[in-house]
Amino acid sequence: MRILFKLVFTMLALLMTAAPAPALAGVMTHDELVRRFPAPLIVGQKDAELAAWPLFKQNATATELVGYVFESADLAPIPGFSGVPPNMLVTIDTKGGFLDVVMLSQHEPVFLDGLGEGPLLQFVKQYQGLSLKQSISIETNTKRARHPDAAHAYIDGVSKATASVRIINQSVLAAALKVARKKLGFAAGRDPDMIARVRQDVFDSRSTEQLLADGLVAHLRVSNRDVEKLFAGSPGAGLDAQALQRPDEVFIDLYLAYASVPSVGRNVLTARGWTKLKGRLDDGDHAMLVMSTGRHSIIGEEFVRGSVSDRLLLKQDGLPIDMRDLDLELALADSLHLPDASVTALRIISQAGLDPGSPMEFSLPITRSKGIVYPERFTRELKIAYRLPARFYLAGEGNNKSWQGVWGSRRDELLVLGVALAVLALALAMQRRLSANGRRFAWFRAGFLAFTVGFVGYYAQGQLSIVNLTGVAQALLAGRGLEFLLFDPMTVVLWLFVALSLLLWGRGTFCGWLCPFGALQELTGKLAQWLHIPQLKLRGVTDARLKILKYVLLALIMASTLFQTELTDKLVELEPFKTAITLNFVRSWPYVAYAVGLLLASSFVYKFFCRYLCPFGAALALLGRVRLLDWIPRRSECGTPCQTCRHRCDYQAIKPDGKVVYEECFQCLDCVVIYESDEKCAPLMLELKRSRTIPIMPVQRSS
């Protein structure tokens, strides 16, 4: 067992302290770029803030900026099917036009083992001459190829590899948009790293009428007559026979909702639908929900699920932003009264740079065709303006990179947490005084555990988790920074306190006092004892063997970060924290059944999950081995012969010889209460009994 401890601890230490690896970083050097861009072009020095090189051209006595060259993996590392982002060398001019796109590396199985790289190299060549100001779509049906214009561009996809080329397209566009926004003055020169962030802590229950009145849901209702007016006086007029026959019929009745905003998504979707949607979004992603009836739909007959619809476009600051179908079946809330509406969920990845604090312009292109062999196309657009109200997002300010705004918005919660942590630290520092009165201590502990469940867990969402460790490990291994941690201030403050408590007391402070799910388990166990539900206490050997299991699970989860993100995402579900605390049991039934099952198990075996299965607890136990204090008071009689504390320890963390196993101690202080009690501690009771004995002295008689 000692060898296993050392192996797991070593693995964890290596993962947590590893230097950033260049696995997903760019590979270009200045010398290599000079070779690729010979005179008269001049390659400038790499930008200190943005991984891009300026390109210059000598024109007589002046040096003119030609554009920028950059690697997509540096700016938009979007994983492909192998889990590794493709990497393209992209060159754009000063107006946002593509000068060239070259494939540097890719690990897509279809292009490695199937089609070969030839079709892929031809695909990326098509970007040359296109512009970021155009909505670039991948054309999957070459028989109906369309001609580009100032607002639209079409490139041929690769048969049997549509998903892979869509990932490549997103990578190219997201990286180029980031450079264009920061270096070319696109989006009014706004720094793409300082965009607003949707507030996940704000939720208001609203009716459909309130959602519409507040602008949280946009509505567009258009008749056939309205559409015909759009084409009036053009060659496209009169080409829609159905519109001419039934002019008052609804062409489209559309509701558009910014569904990843809690006050929108939770009101327009059922609880299960909201949970399903959130489960498909990564951190920083956005989701738009389109609900419509009528003869026109944003999903055409030839639409491929999972792709980008060309019937609903989004622009912000004049730049197109891709919205990709999530291929989700979502149930609408009954309050919407849209039983016959088609529902489509569209995802906008975080790398696209959508700013929820800026106006958005949605458009529905309506296209009519004239002719059969080589049809002439005529397009008009229906516009929908959308602006998210300010109270639902945190604006990026100055050079704050936006995370400071998150801390400011949660000032009151952080103050409450700070006071609670100060009280806990004082109580633990004065544990013997607190434990002197067993009844008073029991009320204090029960009250603090209720605070942990209610405030830290459900209200402030401060549940620390193995996901915190895997997220750090994956970021370091991928060569990314750890700034993402700052967007969750509750977690940062808790981690700082836990780090200090690990140094002083070990694992027990978090696991015994500050873990919401652990507190929920303990309260469940205490309730079971109060109801006289039989409690199972495992044999010492069985208990010790089962406690090793959580270290094995920890090793598996942390090792998985070296291989596949998808595997890690599955393994971390061994923790029920997300189901029970983050999502408040609003999740698909297998997850709920698992979490509830663990709580039921703790009714019979005290804190079953914490003691035997919790990988995060295992990590804290390993890190807690550096503690400075053996803080539990002991007497010489503890263990020899007194066994009171050992038998009353629900965690079975005291050995027969009286020694405390701090890695398995949850700092419940029950043994300290016994130590201070002259009614429970046998050595103290014996000592007091001896002190109260009146010695028998012989009576001296006077002579």
Side-chain angles (χ1 to χ4, degrees):
M1 183 174 176
R2 186 172 297 175
I3 295 175
L4 177 63
F5 267 127
K6 290 182 178 180
L7 287 175
V8 175
F9 183 76
T10 301
M11 176 180 289
L12 181 62
L14 288 173
L15 287 170
M16 294 298 294
T17 59
L24 298 184
V27 296
M28 284 290 109
T29 63
H30 187 269
D31 290 343
E32 174 62 19
L33 287 174
V34 169
R35 186 186 70 79
R36 288 174 177 262
F37 297 92
L41 294 177
I42 303 171
V43 181
Q45 294 302 313
K46 190 175 184 179
D47 190 274
E49 296 183 357
L50 189 72
W53 287 266
L55 288 178
F56 302 97
K57 184 177 182 180
Q58 193 70 33
N59 187 1
T61 58
T63 302
E64 299 177 351
L65 178 66
V66 174
Y68 287 88
V69 59
F70 47 89
E71 293 177 73
S72 64
D74 279 330
L75 303 176
I78 303 173
F81 277 94
S82 65
V84 179
N87 190 21
M88 284 72 66
L89 186 66
V90 184
T91 311
I92 60 174
D93 62 26
T94 55
K95 295 182 180 180
F98 287 98
L99 296 176
D100 198 12
V101 175
V102 176
M103 179 61 66
L104 295 178
S105 64
Q106 58 87 23
H107 299 266
E108 296 303 289
V110 68
F111 293 121
L112 292 177
D113 304 321
L115 301 175
E117 277 199 329
L120 179 59
L121 300 180
Q122 292 297 320
F123 172 80
V124 296
K125 283 183 179 181
Q126 297 178 86
Y127 287 95
Q128 188 172 357
L130 304 184
S131 171
L132 281 171
K133 296 180 180 180
Q134 295 173 302
S135 294
I136 300 176
S137 302
I138 298 175
E139 189 72 40
T140 57
N141 190 338
T142 55
K143 293 182 179 179
R144 297 184 59 187
R146 288 173 278 188
H147 300 290
D149 54 37
H152 306 87
Y154 308 95
I155 54 180
D156 294 330
V158 179
S159 179
K160 299 181 181 180
T162 53
S164 292
V165 296
R166 286 171 190 155
I167 292 170
I168 290 166
N169 182 55
Q170 279 192 322
S171 302
V172 170
L173 296 181
L177 283 170
K178 195 165 189 177
V179 175
R181 289 186 179 108
K182 198 159 188 174
K183 293 298 178 184
L184 303 181
F186 286 44
R190 185 179 65 249
D191 190 334
D193 292 327
M194 298 179 193
I195 60 177
R197 290 176 62 89
V198 172
R199 293 188 61 172
Q200 298 297 328
D201 58 333
V202 174
F203 170 70
D204 298 327
S205 180
R206 294 169 181 251
S207 65
T208 303
E209 292 73 18
Q210 290 173 322
L211 291 171
L212 290 167
D214 295 342
L216 290 172
V217 174
H219 182 212
L220 176 69
R221 182 184 176 90
V222 180
S223 68
N224 286 332
R225 189 189 308 276
D226 297 326
V227 175
E228 190 62 35
K229 288 179 181 179
L230 291 176
F231 290 93
S234 75
L239 295 180
D240 188 341
Q242 188 173 343
L244 295 176
Q245 293 172 5
R246 293 186 287 273
D248 295 324
E249 186 179 278
V250 174
F251 181 77
I252 189 170
D253 189 9
L254 180 145
Y255 292 84
L256 180 67
Y258 198 156
S260 50
V261 176
S263 289
V264 180
R266 289 175 62 183
N267 280 308
V268 301
L269 294 170
T270 61
R272 185 174 182 179
W274 166 252
T275 302
K276 186 187 292 187
L277 176 67
K278 291 293 289 181
R280 290 289 298 275
L281 300 178
D282 295 329
D283 185 39
D285 287 355
H286 309 267
M288 300 295 169
L289 197 68
V290 183
M291 303 153 282
S292 66
T293 57
R295 55 184 288 240
H296 186 75
S297 171
I298 69 162
I299 302 299
E301 294 179 359
E302 298 179 356
F303 180 75
V304 178
R305 282 294 181 182
S307 64
V308 176
S309 173
D310 58 1
R311 291 193 176 189
L312 181 66
L313 307 177
L314 168 60
K315 282 190 175 185
Q316 190 173 62
D317 300 309
L319 296 176
I321 295 178
D322 270 358
M323 299 186 294
R324 190 168 299 283
D325 172 46
L326 275 171
D327 194 13
L328 275 179
E329 291 186 7
L330 299 174
L332 299 178
D334 294 336
S335 58
L336 283 181
H337 306 297
L338 294 173
D340 300 323
S342 65
V343 181
T344 305
L346 303 172
R347 175 192 179 197
I348 302 168
I349 61 173
S350 59
Q351 293 91 338
L354 178 71
D355 187 349
S358 295
M360 305 172 211
E361 183 185 86
F362 294 87
S363 60
L364 283 78
I366 310 299
T367 301
R368 291 181 174 180
S369 302
K370 187 176 183 180
I372 298 177
V373 180
Y374 296 103
E376 188 178 359
R377 296 176 181 273
F378 311 96
T379 301
R380 297 291 185 270
E381 292 186 343
L382 297 169
K383 303 286 188 180
I384 305 175
Y386 190 96
R387 181 72 184 265
L388 186 66
R391 69 181 299 266
F392 297 103
Y393 63 84
L394 297 168
E397 300 174 356
N399 292 322
N400 292 341
K401 301 293 183 184
S402 78
W403 62 262
Q404 286 91 339
V406 179
W407 285 70
S409 69
R410 306 193 70 178
R411 186 179 307 158
D412 295 341
E413 297 171 23
L414 291 171
L415 179 61
V416 172
L417 179 63
V419 171
L421 294 179
V423 170
L424 179 60
L426 183 63
L428 296 179
M430 304 173 64
Q431 58 179 325
R432 295 185 62 177
R433 181 178 299 182
L434 178 66
S435 305
N437 186 314
R439 183 178 178 86
R440 179 183 62 192
F441 170 75
W443 278 106
F444 174 79
R445 180 160 174 80
F448 201 93
L449 291 179
F451 169 81
T452 296
V453 174
F455 179 80
V456 177
Y458 289 120
Y459 182 80
Q461 292 290 296
Q463 173 73 69
L464 299 187
S465 164
I466 191 65
V467 174
N468 302 134
L469 300 182
T470 57
V472 169
Q474 287 171 333
L476 292 176
L477 291 169
R480 299 190 296 269
L482 301 180
E483 188 177 338
F484 67 92
L485 296 173
L486 296 175
F487 287 99
D488 189 354
M490 299 297 292
T491 298
V492 172
V493 172
L494 282 170
W495 261 116
L496 291 174
F497 184 83
V498 169
L500 179 62
S501 68
L502 283 171
L503 187 63
L504 294 176
W505 299 301
R507 162 199 185 179
T509 307
F510 174 77
C511 294
W513 292 89
L514 292 170
C515 176
F517 187 77
L520 191 61
Q521 272 199 107
E522 181 162 338
L523 294 175
T524 302
K526 294 296 184 185
L527 177 62
Q529 292 174 7
W530 183 75
L531 294 173
H532 302 291
I533 294 176
Q535 300 294 297
L536 302 178
K537 200 162 189 177
L538 303 179
R539 293 175 52 198
V541 175
T542 304
D543 173 75
R545 288 175 178 172
L546 285 177
K547 284 175 177 174
I548 298 176
L549 183 57
K550 61 180 175 288
Y551 296 99
V552 176
L553 295 177
L554 170 66
L556 289 174
I557 291 173
M558 297 308 295
S560 72
T561 63
L562 299 170
F563 304 105
Q564 260 194 330
T565 302
E566 293 80 3
L567 178 59
T568 304
D569 292 342
K570 293 178 181 178
L571 288 176
V572 297
E573 291 292 351
L574 289 167
E575 279 187 341
F577 302 166
K578 181 178 180 180
T579 300
I581 304 299
T582 307
L583 299 177
N584 196 14
F585 293 101
V586 181
R587 206 176 184 191
S588 58
W589 73 265
Y591 295 102
V592 175
Y594 175 63
V596 172
L598 290 174
L599 289 176
L600 290 176
S602 70
S603 299
F604 300 94
V605 180
Y606 198 68
K607 296 187 79 166
F608 174 82
F609 175 78
C610 299
R611 293 165 62 190
Y612 303 124
L613 298 177
C614 183
F616 185 65
L620 293 183
L622 292 174
L623 295 173
R625 292 172 72 87
V626 300
R627 76 180 190 287
L628 301 176
L629 306 175
D630 288 343
W631 51 270
I632 297 178
R634 302 273 82 191
R635 288 188 169 91
S636 59
E637 296 89 351
C638 294
T640 52
C642 184
Q643 298 288 314
T644 303
C645 290
R646 182 173 77 88
H647 289 308
R648 294 195 181 184
C649 179
D650 290 318
Y651 302 99
Q652 297 177 252
I654 301 178
K655 293 183 176 181
D657 61 1
K659 183 179 179 181
V660 177
V661 184
Y662 282 94
E663 288 76 22
E664 302 300 332
C665 173
F666 284 67
Q667 206 168 3
C668 67
L669 302 186
D670 284 350
C671 59
V672 182
V673 171
I674 295 173
Y675 181 92
E676 297 293 332
S677 174
D678 56 10
E679 297 178 352
K680 298 179 180 179
C681 180
L684 182 57
M685 292 166 62
L686 182 61
E687 182 180 334
L688 290 174
K689 185 177 181 179
R690 287 172 178 169
S691 67
R692 292 171 183 166
T693 302
I694 301 174
I696 299 175
M697 304 291 292
V699 178
Q700 296 183 357
R701 300 189 181 195
S702 56
S703 55

